[in-house]
Amino acid sequence: MTEAATGRRGRGGGGAARRAARSAVSFESAPVIARNIPNFDMLGPEALEIIEANAETVLAEVGVNFVNNPAALDRWRAVGADVQGERVLIPRGLARKLCATAPGSFVQHARNPERSVEIGGRNLVLAPVYGPPFVRDLDGGRRYATMDDFRNFVKLGYMSKWLHHSGGTVCEPTDVPVNKRHLDMLHAHMTLSDKPFMGSVTEPSRAQDSVDMCKILFGEDFASNNTVMTSLININSPLTFDDTMMGALEIYAANMQACIVSPFIVGGAMAPVSVVGTLTQVLAEVLAGVAYAQLVRPGAPVIFGAFVTSIDMNSGAPTFGTPEASQILYGAGQLARRLGLPFRSGGGLCGSKLPDAQAAYETSNTLNAALLGGVNFMLHACGWLEGGLVASFEKFVLDADQLGILHRIAAGVSHDEEAQAMDAIREVGPGGHYLGCSHTQRNFQTAFWRSDVLDNKPYETWSEEGARSSQQLAAVRVKKLLDTYQQPGLAPDVSEALAAYVARRKAEMPDAFV
Amino acid sequence: MTEAATGRRGRGGGGAARRAARSAVSFESAPVIARNIPNFDMLGPEALEIIEANAETVLAEVGVNFVNNPAALDRWRAVGADVQGERVLIPRGLARKLCATAPGSFVQHARNPERSVEIGGRNLVLAPVYGPPFVRDLDGGRRYATMDDFRNFVKLGYMSKWLHHSGGTVCEPTDVPVNKRHLDMLHAHMTLSDKPFMGSVTEPSRAQDSVDMCKILFGEDFASNNTVMTSLININSPLTFDDTMMGALEIYAANMQACIVSPFIVGGAMAPVSVVGTLTQVLAEVLAGVAYAQLVRPGAPVIFGAFVTSIDMNSGAPTFGTPEASQILYGAGQLARRLGLPFRSGGGLCGSKLPDAQAAYETSNTLNAALLGGVNFMLHACGWLEGGLVASFEKFVLDADQLGILHRIAAGVSHDEEAQAMDAIREVGPGGHYLGCSHTQRNFQTAFWRSDVLDNKPYETWSEEGARSSQQLAAVRVKKLLDTYQQPGLAPDVSEALAAYVARRKAEMPDAFV
């Protein structure tokens, strides 16, 4: 992982880069979660085998559509699929066989090599909310997101100890033309943070911009031979692969950049109203998508994605933190592990309009399922509000704080002699107390996870301090983090080259707002 | 389970009782959760064996105190324990051997036999918050609890679909003298609800009142031969059994009434600052307490309890929903199953002063761990606020709603032909939608769990309806439930006999407020 640094310095940073790095404030950042506890396997082997067999039937007899993409149809034809119009019927076993060249785990490099992450295996990598056109904070309420908001979220992500990844479209900067905003977003991730990030997928040319900017940031050689982005490719469920998303996937796969191949399902609308039926469709879609990535370039890193909500069948609104969503998450994790692929699901998902109790119930239900369900890459881990329409500043720091709990649980339980604490039990004895005993003195500073934002003070103290709700406490923390933010160092020539690239590309295009 | 009804009618309810029952409103009430999913075993066998061996060492070499209780010391002496003063040193294996007569599962009868619950095995029984001296609601804020509050909580519990049990001290009615309030509390559970309930433990004579009132409610014969109460016996951790709690346990065990034998631990103060050390002490305490109940009466029903919080080592405040609390819950569940006893832990625990995001994060963390950790009896399942100092009306209905999620997850995932939904996937095909397909038409009404209180409407609708927070929505639901409450029928002679008992016992005692 030191190659990334070498690559960067090698291409010209030199002494200036090192001086910049030394002068930057260093924030504590936890390493990715390496689970030391079992996964929770909710489904039995019989159910899993039925799902796997049915998914093959779906691929062979129902098929998938690759829309407006003759090259994709050619690729499928070449490996023996039965292509009828835009419909691709994939013979039993073919997609699974093609998936075999996808790595079970891969490293996504960050420009700061200490922040590089390995995605897969027993690891859990946490990334922030993705996609909301609105933001909300306590003072400003709900409003369209701007590039300033975007930069603030990137800063918060950089400063969040438990967040490993800077994410992608943490909010949609609606004040920048649609066809140019990916440039500003990438530039923000690259310059305001040194954590790994995601590339643009809204147009193949924007994926290419992402690749080209990474070549500036990491150096041409390094970026050409290593995975430096993980990008989100949604499948247009049911069973449809559109040309925009596939165009981006083709560019990323060809460049050995990672893609999350992710069915996007509002249950009951885009998949059957049953857990096993939904899992069957999810598996069929992922098999087809991952196989296609391997057709583009065998060995291209991919992630088995599953974004599945429930639905309120009366209003049609998607719902989050529901039992069915948890069941699907657990089942999809088992299917991903049986396929040997990294797994993406979960997040701090909720339908609430405010960062209130509803938001937190729904979020915690999802976070807990994602931890035990074996998620390897968790997008939307913090900041998600209102079904993903809103990125909430307060919820970002509240959720990010909860992510510390996932780290502690995943670390497992030590049973070494110090953890057994028999000396303490003997020392204290019946009716005593442990506050002052020597075992406590040795261990209390690390014994318990501590929240950085929630209030555990006595009622009277809390009252005197203004009787603040979690949202108010979170607003204080947002301000404090943004006030103390300091930009990580970056070699001046890299910084200049990135700025120049953005300026040149913007100048080449007229503004487009749709 | 029809015996309870027979017993009641047999002792004189007759036609009047049946008429009263017919005229009462019948509320939908879910049966206890029968888990159809695996438990999550977080600890490995090596850690569990170490804990079990160390717990035996604690009992044999450190011992436990039975305070101010010569009869208990005699009982221990008689089975070969080494009694030194009030300290009881229990030879290795003795406590575990004595525990063998405790049933692995038992039925607690309700006066409505449809509400009787089996506690143990794969079941999960949900009971409300226990113990708070304060209540909070949106209009009245935080204030001392009264008997009116108590009655309202019993009514809410009765009307909560997902709650199986009426609980015990849902709040402390501070407007009734300490030595008389148990009479009013029992009377409320017996007359305002027909769900199972808990007895008083604050004095042996109050436990006896509980037994005597049950003989009126259930009939003398029935109550003498069946378990009709499950009561909470806290151990004064570390390793101390006080005479008040043991006095209550002795009465309940002698009458074949169930006791939860429950270490009460603020981590770091009453147990070592390590998960395995705490579990060792918990196991030692439960072994001693359960063994003692079996010494009083072999076969007396008991529950392995574990109430363990973390602590903020700076302020000394207990903290909830933390990773350490979850780890201890998971480990204690494994130890209880290895011992073959029903397990009590979990609940909607939180430290927050308001029913806000903090409360809900902490609550959900605990509820999720309790579900997967194999809890059989969950006290504090709803309404708990501020570390148990406050019973919150709004949180009661918010939590009670979340309990529906536990039911759905525990039911497991069907993989029968209808659940496989292959007809739906074939019917809809790539690019279609499932909203109108025949599989959806057949299944949508039961496909997804629905919240009865949270808001999943579109932002605009929610805005027009007043942009209400979860707390505000919950306040509306509290009012609606209380406004529509109707008392379950009870035979008039039973009702009169209960009232007469309460009046007589109150007249026998001067008021006491401490």
Side-chain angles (χ1 to χ4, degrees):
Chain A
M1 276 194 259
T2 53
E3 292 170 274
T6 312
R8 195 175 73 239
R9 291 197 197 110
R11 62 156 301 299
R18 282 190 295 276
R19 276 191 301 280
R22 271 199 303 273
S23 68
V25 170
S26 173
F27 293 103
E28 193 184 2
S29 198
V32 299
I33 294 176
R35 286 186 184 79
N36 194 28
I37 56 171
N39 293 314
F40 183 64
D41 290 332
M42 186 176 277
L43 271 57
E46 189 182 311
L48 296 168
E49 283 159 22
I50 286 172
I51 293 165
E52 287 168 343
N54 284 349
E56 295 288 352
T57 302
V58 169
L59 291 174
E61 299 179 17
V62 180
V64 296
N65 282 1
F66 275 76
V67 179
N68 204 18
N69 193 342
L73 301 177
D74 287 344
R75 286 191 176 101
W76 279 114
R77 233 179 254 113
V79 290
D82 176 11
V83 178
Q84 304 177 354
E86 294 192 321
R87 184 76 57 97
V88 181
L89 299 164
I90 305 171
R92 255 166 222 290
L94 174 60
R96 186 170 283 266
K97 191 179 137 214
L98 291 168
C99 288
T101 55
S105 181
F106 63 90
V107 173
Q108 180 188 350
H109 294 272
R111 71 167 165 104
N112 176 347
E114 289 177 11
R115 304 279 163 87
S116 296
V117 292
E118 182 167 354
I119 300 174
R122 304 284 294 140
N123 282 1
L124 171 53
V125 173
L126 302 169
V129 61
Y130 185 107
F134 298 98
V135 296
R136 176 184 277 279
D137 62 18
L138 191 58
D139 289 339
R142 185 185 193 260
R143 59 185 193 279
Y144 275 105
T146 65
M147 198 59 216
D148 274 348
D149 294 315
F150 188 98
R151 290 193 189 96
N152 282 336
F153 277 118
V154 171
K155 291 175 183 176
L156 289 177
Y158 171 61
M159 298 180 80
S160 293
K161 177 177 179 182
W162 307 116
L163 210 60
H164 314 114
H165 202 282
S166 194
T169 309
V170 287
C171 61
E172 280 284 351
T174 58
D175 55 342
V176 181
V178 164
N179 59 338
K180 300 181 178 179
R181 61 177 69 147
H182 66 290
L183 298 164
D184 286 344
M185 291 194 278
L186 282 161
H187 187 259
H189 283 300
M190 290 176 173
T191 58
L192 300 177
S193 178
D194 63 3
K195 294 184 178 180
F197 54 85
M198 303 170 78
S200 175
V201 296
T202 51
E203 255 253 316
S205 70
R206 296 171 198 157
Q208 190 60 54
D209 279 330
S210 307
V211 169
D212 292 345
M213 287 177 74
C214 279
K215 288 182 179 173
I216 297 173
L217 182 68
F218 289 91
E220 174 115 24
D221 274 4
F222 190 86
S224 303
N225 294 298
N226 292 281
T227 299
V228 295
M229 283 181 288
T230 297
S231 302
L232 178 62
I233 303 296
N234 280 330
I235 296 167
N236 203 344
S237 302
L239 302 168
T240 303
F241 295 79
D242 68 54
D243 55 331
T244 302
M245 282 286 167
M246 286 305 104
L249 176 140
E250 288 156 13
I251 285 170
Y252 285 129
N255 285 280
M256 286 302 271
Q257 300 309 308
C259 288
I260 307 165
V261 178
S262 204
F264 179 92
I265 292 174
V266 176
M270 303 164 194
V273 289
S274 74
V275 170
V276 162
T278 299
L279 285 170
T280 300
Q281 184 182 308
V282 163
L283 180 59
E285 292 174 347
V286 170
L287 282 169
V290 169
Y292 183 65
Q294 302 305 305
L295 286 178
V296 173
R297 180 160 171 180
V302 286
I303 298 175
F304 181 133
F307 180 91
V308 183
T309 80
S310 300
I311 191 172
D312 180 330
M313 292 300 285
N314 285 2
S315 70
T319 54
F320 301 87
T322 61
E324 295 79 23
S326 292
Q327 290 169 326
I328 289 166
L329 188 157
Y330 283 118
Q334 293 179 266
L335 294 169
R337 290 192 287 281
R338 286 164 69 100
L339 197 53
L341 292 179
F343 175 48
R344 171 260 162 143
S345 195
L349 308 181
C350 66
S352 185
K353 284 73 168 181
L354 299 172
D356 59 2
Q358 174 174 354
Y361 285 121
E362 294 171 341
T363 290
S364 286
N365 287 342
T366 313
L367 291 179
N368 280 288
L371 175 66
L372 301 188
V375 166
N376 298 115
F377 187 84
M378 192 200 292
L379 199 57
H380 313 307
C382 59
W384 166 292
L385 197 67
E386 205 189 305
L389 285 173
V390 172
S392 157
F393 282 96
E394 286 87 15
K395 187 155 181 287
F396 193 100
V397 300
L398 287 167
D399 291 345
D401 186 61
Q402 290 289 303
L403 300 178
I405 294 178
L406 306 191
H407 283 75
R408 283 296 284 253
I409 292 181
V413 175
S414 167
H415 55 81
D416 66 15
E417 202 177 314
E418 185 71 358
Q420 290 176 41
M422 285 296 280
D423 61 321
I425 298 176
R426 287 182 196 278
E427 181 183 337
V428 171
H433 74 79
Y434 286 85
L435 290 173
C437 81
S438 50
H439 181 271
T440 300
Q441 294 299 319
R442 289 198 303 275
N443 292 286
F444 80 91
Q445 284 186 313
T446 56
F448 299 108
W449 171 78
R450 287 194 67 191
S451 168
D452 289 321
V453 58
L454 303 180
D455 185 291
N456 288 306
K457 295 178 189 137
Y459 174 76
E460 292 70 19
T461 315
W462 171 80
S463 259
E464 283 160 18
E465 292 180 359
R468 290 174 294 185
S469 70
S470 322
Q471 191 182 0
Q472 291 171 304
L473 291 165
V476 172
R477 183 163 171 82
V478 168
K479 187 170 184 318
K480 183 182 156 195
L481 287 174
L482 292 179
D483 284 350
T484 56
Y485 168 82
Q486 282 191 269
Q487 195 166 1
L490 181 63
D493 59 335
V494 174
S495 181
E496 285 155 24
L498 284 173
Y501 183 93
V502 170
R504 177 175 63 77
R505 288 287 292 137
K506 282 188 170 179
E508 287 169 5
M509 296 180 275
D511 287 354
F513 274 93
V514 285
Chain B
M1 278 194 257
T2 51
E3 292 168 276
T6 312
R8 196 175 71 238
R9 291 197 197 111
R11 62 155 302 296
R18 282 190 295 275
R19 279 191 300 278
R22 272 199 303 273
S23 68
V25 170
S26 174
F27 293 102
E28 194 184 2
S29 197
V32 300
I33 294 176
R35 286 186 184 80
N36 193 28
I37 56 171
N39 292 314
F40 182 64
D41 289 333
M42 185 175 277
L43 270 59
E46 189 181 312
L48 296 168
E49 284 158 22
I50 287 171
I51 292 165
E52 287 168 343
N54 285 350
E56 295 288 352
T57 302
V58 170
L59 292 174
E61 299 179 17
V62 180
V64 296
N65 282 1
F66 275 75
V67 179
N68 203 18
N69 195 342
L73 301 178
D74 287 344
R75 286 190 176 101
W76 279 114
R77 234 180 251 112
V79 291
D82 176 12
V83 178
Q84 305 178 353
E86 295 192 320
R87 183 77 58 97
V88 181
L89 298 163
I90 305 171
R92 255 165 221 290
L94 174 60
R96 185 170 284 266
K97 192 178 134 214
L98 291 168
C99 289
T101 54
S105 180
F106 63 90
V107 173
Q108 180 187 348
H109 295 272
R111 71 166 166 104
N112 177 347
E114 288 177 11
R115 304 279 163 85
S116 295
V117 293
E118 182 167 356
I119 300 174
R122 304 284 294 140
N123 282 0
L124 171 52
V125 173
L126 302 168
V129 60
Y130 185 106
F134 299 98
V135 297
R136 177 183 276 281
D137 61 18
L138 192 58
D139 290 339
R142 185 187 193 260
R143 59 185 193 278
Y144 275 105
T146 65
M147 197 59 215
D148 274 348
D149 293 316
F150 188 97
R151 291 194 189 96
N152 283 334
F153 278 118
V154 172
K155 292 175 183 176
L156 289 177
Y158 172 60
M159 297 179 81
S160 293
K161 177 177 179 182
W162 307 116
L163 209 59
H164 314 113
H165 203 284
S166 195
T169 309
V170 288
C171 61
E172 280 285 350
T174 59
D175 55 342
V176 181
V178 164
N179 59 337
K180 300 183 178 179
R181 60 177 70 149
H182 66 290
L183 298 164
D184 287 344
M185 291 194 279
L186 282 160
H187 186 261
H189 283 299
M190 291 177 173
T191 58
L192 301 177
S193 178
D194 63 4
K195 294 185 178 181
F197 54 84
M198 304 171 76
S200 176
V201 296
T202 52
E203 254 254 313
S205 68
R206 296 172 198 157
Q208 190 60 53
D209 280 330
S210 309
V211 169
D212 293 344
M213 287 178 74
C214 278
K215 287 182 180 174
I216 298 173
L217 182 68
F218 288 91
E220 174 115 22
D221 275 4
F222 190 85
S224 302
N225 294 298
N226 292 281
T227 299
V228 295
M229 283 181 287
T230 297
S231 302
L232 178 63
I233 303 296
N234 280 330
I235 296 167
N236 204 344
S237 303
L239 301 168
T240 303
F241 295 79
D242 67 54
D243 54 332
T244 301
M245 283 284 167
M246 286 304 104
L249 176 140
E250 287 157 14
I251 285 169
Y252 286 128
N255 285 280
M256 286 301 271
Q257 300 308 308
C259 287
I260 308 165
V261 178
S262 202
F264 180 91
I265 292 174
V266 176
M270 303 165 194
V273 289
S274 73
V275 170
V276 162
T278 299
L279 286 171
T280 300
Q281 185 183 307
V282 163
L283 180 59
E285 292 174 346
V286 170
L287 282 169
V290 169
Y292 183 66
Q294 302 306 304
L295 286 178
V296 173
R297 179 160 172 178
V302 288
I303 298 175
F304 181 132
F307 181 90
V308 183
T309 81
S310 301
I311 191 172
D312 180 330
M313 291 301 284
N314 285 1
S315 69
T319 54
F320 300 87
T322 61
E324 296 79 23
S326 293
Q327 289 168 326
I328 289 166
L329 189 158
Y330 284 118
Q334 293 180 265
L335 294 168
R337 290 191 287 281
R338 287 163 69 101
L339 197 52
L341 292 179
F343 174 48
R344 172 261 163 143
S345 195
L349 307 181
C350 66
S352 185
K353 284 75 170 179
L354 299 172
D356 59 1
Q358 174 174 353
Y361 284 122
E362 294 171 341
T363 289
S364 286
N365 287 341
T366 313
L367 291 179
N368 280 287
L371 174 67
L372 301 188
V375 167
N376 298 116
F377 187 83
M378 192 199 293
L379 199 56
H380 313 307
C382 58
W384 166 291
L385 196 67
E386 204 188 307
L389 285 174
V390 172
S392 156
F393 282 96
E394 286 87 15
K395 188 157 180 285
F396 193 100
V397 299
L398 287 167
D399 291 346
D401 185 61
Q402 289 290 303
L403 300 179
I405 294 177
L406 306 191
H407 282 74
R408 283 296 284 253
I409 291 181
V413 174
S414 166
H415 56 80
D416 65 15
E417 202 178 315
E418 184 71 358
Q420 291 176 40
M422 287 296 281
D423 61 321
I425 298 176
R426 288 183 196 277
E427 181 184 337
V428 171
H433 74 79
Y434 286 84
L435 290 174
C437 81
S438 51
H439 181 271
T440 301
Q441 294 299 320
R442 287 197 304 275
N443 293 285
F444 81 92
Q445 283 185 312
T446 56
F448 299 107
W449 171 78
R450 286 194 67 191
S451 169
D452 288 321
V453 57
L454 303 179
D455 185 292
N456 287 306
K457 296 177 187 137
Y459 174 77
E460 291 71 20
T461 316
W462 171 82
S463 259
E464 283 160 18
E465 293 179 357
R468 290 173 294 185
S469 71
S470 321
Q471 191 182 0
Q472 291 170 302
L473 291 165
V476 171
R477 183 164 171 80
V478 168
K479 188 169 184 321
K480 182 181 156 195
L481 288 175
L482 292 180
D483 284 349
T484 55
Y485 168 81
Q486 282 191 269
Q487 196 167 0
L490 181 62
D493 59 334
V494 175
S495 181
E496 284 155 25
L498 285 172
Y501 184 93
V502 170
R504 177 175 63 78
R505 288 288 292 138
K506 282 187 171 181
E508 287 169 4
M509 296 181 275
D511 288 355
F513 274 95
V514 285

